[in-house]
Amino acid sequence: MSILQRYKVDLANASYFRESIKCQNACPVGTDACGYIRAIAHGDFERAYLTARGPNPLASICGRVCGAPCEVACRRRNIDQPVSVRALKRFATEDFTVKSGGFEPSELLRNVIDSTKWRSRLSSEDLAILAEAFDNRELHPPTGEKVAIIGSGPAGLAAGHDLALMGLRPTIYELEPIPAGMLALGIPEYRLPRDLIKAEIEVIKHLGVEIICNMEVGKDISFDEIRKAHAATVIAVGAKRSRNLSIPGHNGIGVLGGVDILRAVALNQPPPLSNRVVVIGGGNVAFDVSRTVIRQAGMDVSRTALRAAGVREVHLCSLESLEEMPADDVEIIEGNEEGVKLHPGLGPKEIHLDDGGHVQAVSFKRVLSVFDENGRFAPKFDENDITTIEADTVLWAIGQQADLSFLNPEKDGIKLTERGAIVIDPVMQQSSAPDVFVVGDVAHGVGLMIEAIASGKRVARSIHSFLRGAEFVAETSGRHAPLSRFAREKDYEKLKRRSAPSAPVEERMIGQNIEVEKTYSHQEARWEAARCLDCGVNTIFDSSKCLLCGGCVDVCPEGCLKIVSVSKLVADGETQAVLDRLCGDTPHEQASAIIKDEARCIRCAHCADRCPVGAITMEAFSFEGKWHAERIERATV
Ligand SMILES: Cc1cc2nc3c(=O)[nH]c(=O)nc-3n(C[C@H](O)[C@H](O)[C@H](O)COP(=O)(O)OP(=O)(O)OC[C@H]3O[C@@H](n4cnc5c(N)ncnc54)[C@H](O)[C@@H]3O)c2cc1C
């Protein structure tokens, strides 16, 4: 190591500790994943559920299908592989929603508030809203202004949930015969059981949210009528229209939108599909479409022996190479296991039709590259390298777009961008018409379900402040509580990641509703949960007690502690000012500091155990809103 080595240091203040909890920080609704995972590790499954449910009205659904940005951010990745956060969330929510009949809704929300007394990292706004919804132990039915929500997808449901808790009266208008948007009519049942969706919606309805199905705004009722009847209106219509490319033959008979097939299958009205299906796209939706179609074939075959001769082929053709495909690895692996034939690196050129206009085949150009040197989407093709796949059906799965045909922008006073999207204030999600708000995929583009939920929750706060002039923004402060008996599971740092178990292929193909992914047993869940590095627990150093003996540095198994001269530290303004203050008159060359590489700390507590003078304590970090009178702030160096 060079004698000139310098160390960039940050001050360990409340925002530093908060941002160190990577999973929670990455979650758009701020779920305390670390909190529920540690509760599972301790066998406290009810607390795990309440922690997961607190900020998220669709927690059990996220346990099945969330894109899980928390898992991507998990710090255990620095040691080996991230904790299986989503699968653990499924485990945490499993017993308290459908299986056991769950909690009675007001009991559930009351319990969420109570549970935060333990080690709360629930957002203070959520707590304020929940607390306001209760008087002693009673949930108030909403009596306030009426709010219309157009669309019952996750964004609309989350907005309705929080608006009702805040005392406003939301009504959701949904064009489909069943609520839940893409959760019910996009995501296949083999990934997301429908009784789970129904159970979550029952809780939302119980809070006072009215849901009216078979009501298309723009057809059964006009947008203008909706606005006149409500104090505020939320547009939550998602992106339902399948995108396609205007290549020759794109209007042929047998060319369909992938999401239209998913919807038809979900409503038990599958269209007759032929023997050879080409799906164009390389993302998760393309796999949902391919795997749904292949199951449909399996069902037809088992129902009608005569059809067994015509075994259906499903070809998934993507621009991207296998390594570049945006679909999750698990989709690629499971799709492959189920018989989806993958054709990476092909760009559609033409759909060939017979004299009657029916699809006969699709020809593709070989892709040379998909992205340019700046990582921008700019596909290049070899026009002479053509592959043709015979097919009777072509399904597009290259993205979706919103249908805003119910709007009359000029008359409604709603500004659109040049590309036809609604112009919104990014914080309030308010359109140019002050009473009209926009959420979810239609506001931010096609994204993850958890982003749509977060958008719905944010808009509920915006509408509350628009109608009531009162904001829920609560001042938060960090708090550390010493853990007197902090101990980790034996060899937790060596435990290998356990993915959730899955059904064998033969079992999966029996029907659309056969779950592919299973849940952990209690023991498996506790093992996987034991891998969590518990980033919400910190090593707090008391510089007034420290002897600088170096015992903590010697004992650290990850080598993340160092004692260095303060003169070797590089700090920005605020951190430098704290260093100067702590050094006082002592020249920086003569002062020492213990510094820690947070990325590698596994919270094993060996340093605290070794310290001869008790200068290091393991402490749980939480943040609180201002309605908690007590506030403890501790300086750490
Ligand atoms: C096939 C598929 C699979 C997906 N898988 C995942 C996944 O595994 N994990 C994940 O995190 N995300 C996934 N997503 C993305 C996720 O489903 C969406 O981001 C999310 O559903 C968007 O929520 P939303 O409420 O904005 O819109 P939507 O869920 O699309 O809901 C919009 C609702 O508005 C209704 N509506 C539209 N127009 C009108 C009108 N004029 N009048 C009345 N009602 C109207 C629609 O019928 C619909 O019910 C998937 C998406 C698709 C298409």
Side-chain angles (χ1 to χ4, degrees), residues 238-270:
K240 281 178 82 102
R241 261 194 202 159
S242 207
R243 285 186 192 275
N244 63 21
L245 297 176
S246 301
I247 55 173
H250 75 279
N251 285 329
I253 301 168
V255 184
L256 303 163
V259 287
D260 301 322
I261 294 290
L262 294 173
R263 175 184 176 280
V265 171
L267 290 175
N268 217 7
Q269 305 159 349

PDB file of all heavy atoms in Angstrom, residues 238-270:
ATOM      1  N   GLY A 238     -52.896   3.065 -17.667  1.00  0.00           N
ATOM      2  CA  GLY A 238     -51.835   2.140 -18.068  1.00  0.00           C
ATOM      3  C   GLY A 238     -51.479   2.241 -19.538  1.00  0.00           C
ATOM      4  O   GLY A 238     -51.721   3.265 -20.205  1.00  0.00           O
ATOM      5  N   ALA A 239     -50.900   1.171 -20.063  1.00  0.00           N
ATOM      6  CA  ALA A 239     -50.498   1.105 -21.469  1.00  0.00           C
ATOM      7  C   ALA A 239     -50.954  -0.254 -21.971  1.00  0.00           C
ATOM      8  O   ALA A 239     -50.269  -1.245 -21.803  1.00  0.00           O
ATOM      9  CB  ALA A 239     -48.981   1.261 -21.593  1.00  0.00           C
ATOM     10  N   LYS A 240     -52.130  -0.278 -22.563  1.00  0.00           N
ATOM     11  CA  LYS A 240     -52.763  -1.554 -22.928  1.00  0.00           C
ATOM     12  C   LYS A 240     -52.529  -1.968 -24.366  1.00  0.00           C
ATOM     13  O   LYS A 240     -52.715  -3.118 -24.712  1.00  0.00           O
ATOM     14  CB  LYS A 240     -54.290  -1.407 -22.786  1.00  0.00           C
ATOM     15  CG  LYS A 240     -54.802  -1.499 -21.405  1.00  0.00           C
ATOM     16  CD  LYS A 240     -56.319  -1.294 -21.421  1.00  0.00           C
ATOM     17  CE  LYS A 240     -57.074  -2.565 -21.779  1.00  0.00           C
ATOM     18  NZ  LYS A 240     -57.665  -3.233 -20.664  1.00  0.00           N
ATOM     19  N   ARG A 241     -52.197  -0.994 -25.214  1.00  0.00           N
ATOM     20  CA  ARG A 241     -52.135  -1.288 -26.651  1.00  0.00           C
ATOM     21  C   ARG A 241     -50.796  -1.883 -27.015  1.00  0.00           C
ATOM     22  O   ARG A 241     -49.752  -1.275 -26.757  1.00  0.00           O
ATOM     23  CB  ARG A 241     -52.282   0.015 -27.433  1.00  0.00           C
ATOM     24  CG  ARG A 241     -53.637   0.249 -27.942  1.00  0.00           C
ATOM     25  CD  ARG A 241     -53.573   1.360 -28.976  1.00  0.00           C
ATOM     26  NE  ARG A 241     -54.882   1.965 -29.129  1.00  0.00           N
ATOM     27  CZ  ARG A 241     -55.082   3.167 -29.626  1.00  0.00           C
ATOM     28  NH1 ARG A 241     -54.059   3.912 -29.996  1.00  0.00           N
ATOM     29  NH2 ARG A 241     -56.291   3.637 -29.739  1.00  0.00           N
ATOM     30  N   SER A 242     -50.845  -3.031 -27.672  1.00  0.00           N
ATOM     31  CA  SER A 242     -49.610  -3.675 -28.109  1.00  0.00           C
ATOM     32  C   SER A 242     -48.978  -2.848 -29.236  1.00  0.00           C
ATOM     33  O   SER A 242     -49.670  -2.422 -30.152  1.00  0.00           O
ATOM     34  CB  SER A 242     -49.984  -5.063 -28.635  1.00  0.00           C
ATOM     35  OG  SER A 242     -48.933  -5.935 -28.498  1.00  0.00           O
ATOM     36  N   ARG A 243     -47.676  -2.604 -29.124  1.00  0.00           N
ATOM     37  CA  ARG A 243     -46.981  -1.913 -30.223  1.00  0.00           C
ATOM     38  C   ARG A 243     -46.669  -2.920 -31.323  1.00  0.00           C
ATOM     39  O   ARG A 243     -46.495  -4.117 -31.042  1.00  0.00           O
ATOM     40  CB  ARG A 243     -45.642  -1.345 -29.738  1.00  0.00           C
ATOM     41  CG  ARG A 243     -45.784  -0.097 -28.889  1.00  0.00           C
ATOM     42  CD  ARG A 243     -44.389   0.454 -28.592  1.00  0.00           C
ATOM     43  NE  ARG A 243     -44.440   1.471 -27.568  1.00  0.00           N
ATOM     44  CZ  ARG A 243     -44.698   2.764 -27.804  1.00  0.00           C
ATOM     45  NH1 ARG A 243     -44.917   3.183 -29.045  1.00  0.00           N
ATOM     46  NH2 ARG A 243     -44.727   3.628 -26.813  1.00  0.00           N
ATOM     47  N   ASN A 244     -46.530  -2.439 -32.559  1.00  0.00           N
ATOM     48  CA  ASN A 244     -46.058  -3.327 -33.627  1.00  0.00           C
ATOM     49  C   ASN A 244     -45.152  -2.544 -34.567  1.00  0.00           C
ATOM     50  O   ASN A 244     -44.897  -1.361 -34.337  1.00  0.00           O
ATOM     51  CB  ASN A 244     -47.229  -3.987 -34.366  1.00  0.00           C
ATOM     52  CG  ASN A 244     -48.099  -2.972 -35.073  1.00  0.00           C
ATOM     53  OD1 ASN A 244     -47.660  -1.856 -35.360  1.00  0.00           O
ATOM     54  ND2 ASN A 244     -49.326  -3.346 -35.359  1.00  0.00           N
ATOM     55  N   LEU A 245     -44.648  -3.202 -35.595  1.00  0.00           N
ATOM     56  CA  LEU A 245     -43.822  -2.527 -36.599  1.00  0.00           C
ATOM     57  C   LEU A 245     -44.558  -2.599 -37.924  1.00  0.00           C
ATOM     58  O   LEU A 245     -45.151  -3.639 -38.259  1.00  0.00           O
ATOM     59  CB  LEU A 245     -42.466  -3.237 -36.733  1.00  0.00           C
ATOM     60  CG  LEU A 245     -41.564  -3.255 -35.495  1.00  0.00           C
ATOM     61  CD1 LEU A 245     -40.312  -4.091 -35.771  1.00  0.00           C
ATOM     62  CD2 LEU A 245     -41.166  -1.839 -35.098  1.00  0.00           C
ATOM     63  N   SER A 246     -44.476  -1.494 -38.692  1.00  0.00           N
ATOM     64  CA  SER A 246     -45.222  -1.460 -39.967  1.00  0.00           C
ATOM     65  C   SER A 246     -44.442  -2.152 -41.070  1.00  0.00           C
ATOM     66  O   SER A 246     -44.183  -1.563 -42.118  1.00  0.00           O
ATOM     67  CB  SER A 246     -45.501  -0.009 -40.361  1.00  0.00           C
ATOM     68  OG  SER A 246     -46.229   0.611 -39.361  1.00  0.00           O
ATOM     69  N   ILE A 247     -44.074  -3.388 -40.843  1.00  0.00           N
ATOM     70  CA  ILE A 247     -43.368  -4.130 -41.895  1.00  0.00           C
ATOM     71  C   ILE A 247     -44.406  -4.723 -42.851  1.00  0.00           C
ATOM     72  O   ILE A 247     -45.577  -4.852 -42.477  1.00  0.00           O
ATOM     73  CB  ILE A 247     -42.461  -5.246 -41.296  1.00  0.00           C
ATOM     74  CG1 ILE A 247     -43.294  -6.164 -40.399  1.00  0.00           C
ATOM     75  CG2 ILE A 247     -41.282  -4.666 -40.550  1.00  0.00           C
ATOM     76  CD1 ILE A 247     -42.523  -7.389 -39.911  1.00  0.00           C
ATOM     77  N   PRO A 248     -44.013  -5.099 -44.068  1.00  0.00           N
ATOM     78  CA  PRO A 248     -44.990  -5.703 -44.981  1.00  0.00           C
ATOM     79  C   PRO A 248     -45.674  -6.902 -44.318  1.00  0.00           C
ATOM     80  O   PRO A 248     -45.017  -7.703 -43.647  1.00  0.00           O
ATOM     81  CB  PRO A 248     -44.130  -6.154 -46.175  1.00  0.00           C
ATOM     82  CG  PRO A 248     -42.896  -5.321 -46.109  1.00  0.00           C
ATOM     83  CD  PRO A 248     -42.669  -4.980 -44.662  1.00  0.00           C
ATOM     84  N   GLY A 249     -46.969  -6.979 -44.459  1.00  0.00           N
ATOM     85  CA  GLY A 249     -47.733  -8.109 -43.915  1.00  0.00           C
ATOM     86  C   GLY A 249     -48.222  -7.894 -42.493  1.00  0.00           C
ATOM     87  O   GLY A 249     -48.884  -8.769 -41.927  1.00  0.00           O
ATOM     88  N   HIS A 250     -47.945  -6.719 -41.899  1.00  0.00           N
ATOM     89  CA  HIS A 250     -48.287  -6.549 -40.476  1.00  0.00           C
ATOM     90  C   HIS A 250     -49.790  -6.524 -40.223  1.00  0.00           C
ATOM     91  O   HIS A 250     -50.232  -6.690 -39.090  1.00  0.00           O
ATOM     92  CB  HIS A 250     -47.623  -5.295 -39.884  1.00  0.00           C
ATOM     93  CG  HIS A 250     -48.256  -4.014 -40.299  1.00  0.00           C
ATOM     94  ND1 HIS A 250     -47.998  -3.410 -41.497  1.00  0.00           N
ATOM     95  CD2 HIS A 250     -49.167  -3.223 -39.687  1.00  0.00           C
ATOM     96  CE1 HIS A 250     -48.708  -2.300 -41.591  1.00  0.00           C
ATOM     97  NE2 HIS A 250     -49.428  -2.169 -40.500  1.00  0.00           N
ATOM     98  N   ASN A 251     -50.586  -6.339 -41.305  1.00  0.00           N
ATOM     99  CA  ASN A 251     -52.047  -6.338 -41.123  1.00  0.00           C
ATOM    100  C   ASN A 251     -52.668  -7.706 -41.415  1.00  0.00           C
ATOM    101  O   ASN A 251     -53.884  -7.834 -41.468  1.00  0.00           O
ATOM    102  CB  ASN A 251     -52.703  -5.317 -42.069  1.00  0.00           C
ATOM    103  CG  ASN A 251     -52.470  -3.903 -41.560  1.00  0.00           C
ATOM    104  OD1 ASN A 251     -52.376  -3.697 -40.359  1.00  0.00           O
ATOM    105  ND2 ASN A 251     -52.346  -2.956 -42.472  1.00  0.00           N
ATOM    106  N   GLY A 252     -51.840  -8.713 -41.624  1.00  0.00           N
ATOM    107  CA  GLY A 252     -52.342 -10.028 -42.047  1.00  0.00           C
ATOM    108  C   GLY A 252     -53.233 -10.702 -41.009  1.00  0.00           C
ATOM    109  O   GLY A 252     -53.227 -10.341 -39.823  1.00  0.00           O
ATOM    110  N   ILE A 253     -53.980 -11.700 -41.480  1.00  0.00           N
ATOM    111  CA  ILE A 253     -54.859 -12.456 -40.573  1.00  0.00           C
ATOM    112  C   ILE A 253     -53.973 -13.431 -39.792  1.00  0.00           C
ATOM    113  O   ILE A 253     -53.229 -14.217 -40.388  1.00  0.00           O
ATOM    114  CB  ILE A 253     -55.940 -13.217 -41.375  1.00  0.00           C
ATOM    115  CG1 ILE A 253     -56.776 -12.214 -42.180  1.00  0.00           C
ATOM    116  CG2 ILE A 253     -56.820 -14.061 -40.453  1.00  0.00           C
ATOM    117  CD1 ILE A 253     -57.684 -12.855 -43.225  1.00  0.00           C
ATOM    118  N   GLY A 254     -54.022 -13.317 -38.485  1.00  0.00           N
ATOM    119  CA  GLY A 254     -53.138 -14.152 -37.650  1.00  0.00           C
ATOM    120  C   GLY A 254     -52.030 -13.331 -37.017  1.00  0.00           C
ATOM    121  O   GLY A 254     -51.198 -13.871 -36.286  1.00  0.00           O
ATOM    122  N   VAL A 255     -52.012 -11.998 -37.276  1.00  0.00           N
ATOM    123  CA  VAL A 255     -51.030 -11.128 -36.619  1.00  0.00           C
ATOM    124  C   VAL A 255     -51.759 -10.426 -35.463  1.00  0.00           C
ATOM    125  O   VAL A 255     -52.737  -9.711 -35.689  1.00  0.00           O
ATOM    126  CB  VAL A 255     -50.451 -10.067 -37.592  1.00  0.00           C
ATOM    127  CG1 VAL A 255     -49.374  -9.247 -36.890  1.00  0.00           C
ATOM    128  CG2 VAL A 255     -49.902 -10.725 -38.841  1.00  0.00           C
ATOM    129  N   LEU A 256     -51.300 -10.678 -34.249  1.00  0.00           N
ATOM    130  CA  LEU A 256     -52.036 -10.189 -33.071  1.00  0.00           C
ATOM    131  C   LEU A 256     -51.079  -9.562 -32.056  1.00  0.00           C
ATOM    132  O   LEU A 256     -49.872  -9.804 -32.094  1.00  0.00           O
ATOM    133  CB  LEU A 256     -52.755 -11.370 -32.387  1.00  0.00           C
ATOM    134  CG  LEU A 256     -53.738 -12.173 -33.254  1.00  0.00           C
ATOM    135  CD1 LEU A 256     -54.041 -13.515 -32.605  1.00  0.00           C
ATOM    136  CD2 LEU A 256     -55.010 -11.373 -33.451  1.00  0.00           C
ATOM    137  N   GLY A 257     -51.661  -8.807 -31.133  1.00  0.00           N
ATOM    138  CA  GLY A 257     -50.866  -8.242 -30.037  1.00  0.00           C
ATOM    139  C   GLY A 257     -50.683  -9.282 -28.938  1.00  0.00           C
ATOM    140  O   GLY A 257     -51.644  -9.968 -28.568  1.00  0.00           O
ATOM    141  N   GLY A 258     -49.480  -9.390 -28.415  1.00  0.00           N
ATOM    142  CA  GLY A 258     -49.202 -10.379 -27.359  1.00  0.00           C
ATOM    143  C   GLY A 258     -50.066 -10.153 -26.125  1.00  0.00           C
ATOM    144  O   GLY A 258     -50.638 -11.098 -25.564  1.00  0.00           O
ATOM    145  N   VAL A 259     -50.215  -8.874 -25.704  1.00  0.00           N
ATOM    146  CA  VAL A 259     -51.013  -8.622 -24.489  1.00  0.00           C
ATOM    147  C   VAL A 259     -52.499  -8.921 -24.740  1.00  0.00           C
ATOM    148  O   VAL A 259     -53.227  -9.233 -23.801  1.00  0.00           O
ATOM    149  CB  VAL A 259     -50.834  -7.183 -23.924  1.00  0.00           C
ATOM    150  CG1 VAL A 259     -49.494  -7.007 -23.257  1.00  0.00           C
ATOM    151  CG2 VAL A 259     -51.075  -6.128 -24.977  1.00  0.00           C
ATOM    152  N   ASP A 260     -52.916  -8.869 -26.017  1.00  0.00           N
ATOM    153  CA  ASP A 260     -54.323  -9.202 -26.304  1.00  0.00           C
ATOM    154  C   ASP A 260     -54.574 -10.698 -26.085  1.00  0.00           C
ATOM    155  O   ASP A 260     -55.633 -11.100 -25.605  1.00  0.00           O
ATOM    156  CB  ASP A 260     -54.680  -8.799 -27.741  1.00  0.00           C
ATOM    157  CG  ASP A 260     -54.470  -7.299 -27.946  1.00  0.00           C
ATOM    158  OD1 ASP A 260     -54.763  -6.541 -27.006  1.00  0.00           O
ATOM    159  OD2 ASP A 260     -53.975  -6.896 -29.004  1.00  0.00           O
ATOM    160  N   ILE A 261     -53.560 -11.501 -26.411  1.00  0.00           N
ATOM    161  CA  ILE A 261     -53.692 -12.950 -26.178  1.00  0.00           C
ATOM    162  C   ILE A 261     -53.713 -13.227 -24.672  1.00  0.00           C
ATOM    163  O   ILE A 261     -54.522 -14.031 -24.173  1.00  0.00           O
ATOM    164  CB  ILE A 261     -52.494 -13.709 -26.827  1.00  0.00           C
ATOM    165  CG1 ILE A 261     -52.557 -13.585 -28.335  1.00  0.00           C
ATOM    166  CG2 ILE A 261     -52.445 -15.173 -26.383  1.00  0.00           C
ATOM    167  CD1 ILE A 261     -53.704 -14.355 -28.970  1.00  0.00           C
ATOM    168  N   LEU A 262     -52.839 -12.549 -23.943  1.00  0.00           N
ATOM    169  CA  LEU A 262     -52.802 -12.769 -22.479  1.00  0.00           C
ATOM    170  C   LEU A 262     -54.156 -12.413 -21.870  1.00  0.00           C
ATOM    171  O   LEU A 262     -54.678 -13.119 -21.005  1.00  0.00           O
ATOM    172  CB  LEU A 262     -51.691 -11.928 -21.842  1.00  0.00           C
ATOM    173  CG  LEU A 262     -50.268 -12.323 -22.234  1.00  0.00           C
ATOM    174  CD1 LEU A 262     -49.269 -11.314 -21.664  1.00  0.00           C
ATOM    175  CD2 LEU A 262     -49.929 -13.724 -21.737  1.00  0.00           C
ATOM    176  N   ARG A 263     -54.716 -11.295 -22.328  1.00  0.00           N
ATOM    177  CA  ARG A 263     -56.023 -10.858 -21.811  1.00  0.00           C
ATOM    178  C   ARG A 263     -57.089 -11.898 -22.126  1.00  0.00           C
ATOM    179  O   ARG A 263     -57.890 -12.280 -21.253  1.00  0.00           O
ATOM    180  CB  ARG A 263     -56.383  -9.508 -22.444  1.00  0.00           C
ATOM    181  CG  ARG A 263     -57.753  -9.000 -22.100  1.00  0.00           C
ATOM    182  CD  ARG A 263     -58.086  -7.707 -22.837  1.00  0.00           C
ATOM    183  NE  ARG A 263     -59.446  -7.303 -22.562  1.00  0.00           N
ATOM    184  CZ  ARG A 263     -60.515  -7.816 -23.161  1.00  0.00           C
ATOM    185  NH1 ARG A 263     -60.363  -8.755 -24.077  1.00  0.00           N
ATOM    186  NH2 ARG A 263     -61.730  -7.395 -22.835  1.00  0.00           N
ATOM    187  N   ALA A 264     -57.095 -12.378 -23.366  1.00  0.00           N
ATOM    188  CA  ALA A 264     -58.117 -13.345 -23.784  1.00  0.00           C
ATOM    189  C   ALA A 264     -58.005 -14.633 -22.957  1.00  0.00           C
ATOM    190  O   ALA A 264     -59.013 -15.179 -22.503  1.00  0.00           O
ATOM    191  CB  ALA A 264     -57.960 -13.639 -25.274  1.00  0.00           C
ATOM    192  N   VAL A 265     -56.794 -15.084 -22.738  1.00  0.00           N
ATOM    193  CA  VAL A 265     -56.611 -16.317 -21.945  1.00  0.00           C
ATOM    194  C   VAL A 265     -57.057 -16.066 -20.503  1.00  0.00           C
ATOM    195  O   VAL A 265     -57.750 -16.884 -19.894  1.00  0.00           O
ATOM    196  CB  VAL A 265     -55.140 -16.797 -22.012  1.00  0.00           C
ATOM    197  CG1 VAL A 265     -54.877 -17.929 -21.023  1.00  0.00           C
ATOM    198  CG2 VAL A 265     -54.788 -17.250 -23.432  1.00  0.00           C
ATOM    199  N   ALA A 266     -56.706 -14.892 -19.967  1.00  0.00           N
ATOM    200  CA  ALA A 266     -57.068 -14.582 -18.575  1.00  0.00           C
ATOM    201  C   ALA A 266     -58.584 -14.515 -18.399  1.00  0.00           C
ATOM    202  O   ALA A 266     -59.114 -14.858 -17.341  1.00  0.00           O
ATOM    203  CB  ALA A 266     -56.432 -13.263 -18.147  1.00  0.00           C
ATOM    204  N   LEU A 267     -59.284 -14.072 -19.448  1.00  0.00           N
ATOM    205  CA  LEU A 267     -60.753 -13.985 -19.356  1.00  0.00           C
ATOM    206  C   LEU A 267     -61.420 -15.279 -19.806  1.00  0.00           C
ATOM    207  O   LEU A 267     -62.633 -15.340 -19.980  1.00  0.00           O
ATOM    208  CB  LEU A 267     -61.265 -12.812 -20.206  1.00  0.00           C
ATOM    209  CG  LEU A 267     -60.927 -11.419 -19.676  1.00  0.00           C
ATOM    210  CD1 LEU A 267     -61.371 -10.345 -20.662  1.00  0.00           C
ATOM    211  CD2 LEU A 267     -61.580 -11.165 -18.313  1.00  0.00           C
ATOM    212  N   ASN A 268     -60.584 -16.310 -19.988  1.00  0.00           N
ATOM    213  CA  ASN A 268     -61.079 -17.625 -20.392  1.00  0.00           C
ATOM    214  C   ASN A 268     -61.759 -17.592 -21.754  1.00  0.00           C
ATOM    215  O   ASN A 268     -62.741 -18.290 -21.980  1.00  0.00           O
ATOM    216  CB  ASN A 268     -62.040 -18.162 -19.321  1.00  0.00           C
ATOM    217  CG  ASN A 268     -61.872 -19.650 -19.169  1.00  0.00           C
ATOM    218  OD1 ASN A 268     -60.959 -20.228 -19.773  1.00  0.00           O
ATOM    219  ND2 ASN A 268     -62.742 -20.280 -18.404  1.00  0.00           N
ATOM    220  N   GLN A 269     -61.229 -16.728 -22.627  1.00  0.00           N
ATOM    221  CA  GLN A 269     -61.769 -16.663 -23.998  1.00  0.00           C
ATOM    222  C   GLN A 269     -60.606 -16.788 -24.983  1.00  0.00           C
ATOM    223  O   GLN A 269     -60.395 -15.896 -25.809  1.00  0.00           O
ATOM    224  CB  GLN A 269     -62.443 -15.304 -24.241  1.00  0.00           C
ATOM    225  CG  GLN A 269     -63.504 -14.955 -23.251  1.00  0.00           C
ATOM    226  CD  GLN A 269     -63.786 -13.449 -23.205  1.00  0.00           C
ATOM    227  OE1 GLN A 269     -63.070 -12.621 -23.765  1.00  0.00           O
ATOM    228  NE2 GLN A 269     -64.852 -13.101 -22.512  1.00  0.00           N
ATOM    229  N   PRO A 270     -59.788 -17.852 -24.872  1.00  0.00           N
ATOM    230  CA  PRO A 270     -58.609 -17.909 -25.749  1.00  0.00           C
ATOM    231  C   PRO A 270     -59.006 -18.042 -27.209  1.00  0.00           C
ATOM    232  O   PRO A 270     -59.916 -18.811 -27.531  1.00  0.00           O
ATOM    233  CB  PRO A 270     -57.873 -19.170 -25.269  1.00  0.00           C
ATOM    234  CG  PRO A 270     -58.907 -19.981 -24.577  1.00  0.00           C
ATOM    235  CD  PRO A 270     -59.920 -19.039 -24.027  1.00  0.00           C
TER     236      PRO A 270
END
